[in-house]
Amino acid sequence: MTADVREIALSKRDLREVAAFAAVCAEAVLGIFEADQPDDSRPRDAVGAAWEFARGGERGKTLRDTAWAALKAAKSAHTAAAREAAWAAMSAAGAAYLHPLAKATQVKHILGAAAHAARAVELVADDDRTAGVGHLEQAVSRATPLVVDVLKRFPAAPSGGGRVGELVRVLDADLRSLSFAASRSGGA
């Protein structure tokens, strides 16, 4: 790491709110994975661990282990859509590990679960990109003022990353355009 990368203040409350956002986004597509792999609970377990952290649990071994397990589950999926759904779950568990570094790459910790979920929805719809954009609109409606405030502390999402990277950038721009974050982010 270079010395010119500044740190961003992130409280445990910030991390919990980001994890809750990621969990709700990933949870929406668990059924896609489960239709492909009905006896594999690893993605659901990862989303459950994200929810546990978001609701006051510790950021520790369970989150990491379930994220890795969801990643392994993605490798066992028979369809690209199921793989994306498992990656969304992995991203939900990993959201708690958002690093306090002012680097554009950290944006995927915040928005990765939503982007992978949107890609899963696209693939289920025969690669209909309007389905993914529609799913991102739902993600925007799920974002709390605090999630938007945390996102705005980081640089804009980086280029690259294929279609999921495109979805991250669309969601990033949509959330940054919201105006409520400045006035309500400090809520109770």
Side-chain angles (χ1 to χ4, degrees):
M1 179 172 62
T2 61
D4 61 342
V5 176
R6 70 176 174 83
E7 287 203 11
I8 293 173
L10 290 173
S11 69
K12 195 164 260 191
R13 178 176 175 235
D14 294 337
L15 294 173
R16 290 185 196 289
E17 195 79 9
V18 166
F21 172 70
V24 75
C25 291
E27 193 170 57
V29 297
L30 283 174
I32 294 171
F33 178 84
E34 291 167 345
D36 184 83
Q37 299 290 314
D39 297 325
D40 191 340
S41 68
R42 293 176 292 181
R44 185 167 293 279
D45 295 343
V47 172
W51 276 121
E52 185 177 325
F53 171 72
R55 293 176 177 141
E58 291 304 313
R59 186 174 78 162
K61 187 172 175 9
T62 299
L63 274 168
R64 288 175 197 232
D65 289 351
T66 59
W68 283 114
L71 178 62
K72 289 179 183 174
K75 294 177 183 177
S76 70
H78 294 114
T79 68
R83 227 176 349 271
E84 292 290 345
W87 285 334
M90 178 212 49
S91 296
Y97 291 97
L98 173 64
H99 299 291
L101 303 174
K103 295 177 75 173
T105 54
Q106 291 303 309
V107 170
K108 194 163 182 190
H109 278 290
I110 303 167
L111 306 180
H116 283 292
R119 183 63 181 141
V121 168
E122 286 180 346
L123 291 167
V124 166
D126 294 325
D127 208 13
D128 179 358
R129 293 187 174 210
T130 62
V133 171
H135 194 76
L136 291 184
E137 290 170 0
Q138 293 174 2
V140 169
S141 72
R142 292 178 179 129
T144 64
L146 184 54
V147 167
V148 175
D149 178 61
V150 170
L151 177 66
K152 287 181 175 183
R153 295 177 204 170
F154 290 86
S159 61
R163 179 63 181 152
V164 171
E166 289 175 30
L167 292 165
V168 166
R169 287 186 295 281
V170 168
L171 182 56
D172 183 45
D174 288 350
L175 290 173
R176 287 176 192 275
S177 73
L178 297 176
S179 60
F180 63 77
S183 62
R184 293 179 26 204
S185 64

